[in-house]
Amino acid sequence: MATRAYERYGVPIPPENPKQEFMTVQETAYVLKCSVSWLRRFLRKNPCLCGRNGNRGRIVTDREQRTAIHAARSAGDPRTGRAMPRQRRRPAAKPALASR
């Protein structure tokens, strides 16, 4: 069961206007079609791609920052240079030994 905090802050929500200048993390996640938790982790690693608003420090993004987030996300897996991370495979089952 989801907590009230998750229902309030962890679910992407559609913005009133998708072309508005500033958006919250939840609205940005909805527009970029990603999860809020992924976006928060990404912005923690790249603090230059977001801003803070007000005394409580609400995270907001503007148009240029959303474009940069989308470009970084579309670039692929930075660890290996692949377009997409490789799917993990289950190890092949060993053939059963014939009984002698």
Side-chain angles (χ1 to χ4, degrees):
M1 185 170 138
T3 62
R4 283 192 307 198
Y6 175 79
E7 292 292 332
R8 187 169 181 189
Y9 301 111
V11 179
I13 58 172
E16 293 176 14
N17 179 8
K19 296 182 181 184
Q20 64 191 12
E21 180 67 27
F22 294 100
M23 290 187 188
T24 64
V25 173
Q26 294 85 5
E27 293 170 339
T28 303
Y30 184 87
V31 171
L32 294 176
K33 296 180 181 156
C34 64
S35 68
V36 175
S37 59
W38 178 87
L39 185 58
R40 287 184 187 278
R41 282 192 310 267
F42 181 81
L43 293 176
R44 193 175 306 129
K45 292 178 186 174
N46 302 295
C48 61
L49 295 179
C50 68
R52 301 254 177 204
N53 184 15
N55 59 358
R56 303 242 2 212
R58 187 174 193 173
I59 300 172
V60 294
T61 59
D62 63 11
R63 289 182 188 154
E64 289 116 19
Q65 292 167 338
R66 286 191 299 274
T67 303
I69 293 167
H70 177 70
R73 186 169 179 239
S74 300
D77 188 7
R79 297 168 292 183
T80 58
R82 292 191 185 98
M84 291 295 292
R86 231 184 244 181
Q87 294 292 326
R88 293 183 185 212
R89 296 184 191 173
R90 292 185 181 187
K94 294 182 180 178
L97 297 174
S99 40
R100 296 183 186 177

